[in-house]
Amino acid sequence: MSQPQAHPGGAYPMSAREQQVLLMLAQGLRAREIALILQVSPSSVYSFFRLLKARFGVNTLAGMLNRATTTGVLAALEDSTRLAEPQPEGKGG
């Protein structure tokens, strides 16, 4: 498992895997779908859900997504993910 790192959006340090899970959950994926993509068991995904809820100080996934959105953590994660993706080359010129 990767080391926790400071999150670009604020004071919620999370591992790279926790960031992946949070982003996928925000995109509307369910635990089983996340598990298939990450090649882990659904129980591992539920463990990440519990860790993330604790980090954000909430009891529900909806509360966690709300807190991640209102604090800017989710937007910062999305921005950092977008920056890390390869950009398509420009046409002609």
Side-chain angles (χ1 to χ4, degrees), residues 63-87:
M64 179 188 64
L65 289 172
N66 183 50
R67 180 78 45 92
T69 300
T70 59
T71 58
V73 169
L74 194 55
L77 261 182
E78 290 168 342
D79 287 346
S80 66
T81 301
R82 228 174 279 123
L83 292 173
E85 293 175 356
Q87 299 299 315

Side-chain angles (χ1 to χ4, degrees), residues 19-40:
Q19 292 176 19
Q20 289 175 315
V21 170
L22 178 58
L23 283 169
M24 288 186 218
L25 186 62
Q27 292 169 356
L29 297 177
R30 297 178 185 269
R32 288 181 193 229
E33 295 168 316
I34 295 170
L36 284 172
I37 292 167
L38 298 179
Q39 298 180 341
V40 298

Side-chain angles (χ1 to χ4, degrees), residues 32-73:
R32 288 181 193 229
E33 295 168 316
I34 295 170
L36 284 172
I37 292 167
L38 298 179
Q39 298 180 341
V40 298
S41 70
S43 64
S44 292
V45 175
Y46 289 119
S47 292
F48 284 115
F49 288 172
R50 282 191 299 277
L51 285 169
L52 287 165
K53 288 186 294 188
R55 287 197 193 284
F56 285 98
V58 297
N59 296 318
T60 65
L61 292 178
M64 179 188 64
L65 289 172
N66 183 50
R67 180 78 45 92
T69 300
T70 59
T71 58
V73 169

Side-chain angles (χ1 to χ4, degrees), residues 1-24:
M1 190 176 241
S2 60
Q3 294 294 320
Q5 54 191 14
H7 187 275
Y12 298 98
M14 338 177 198
S15 69
R17 184 66 84 177
E18 289 170 327
Q19 292 176 19
Q20 289 175 315
V21 170
L22 178 58
L23 283 169
M24 288 186 218

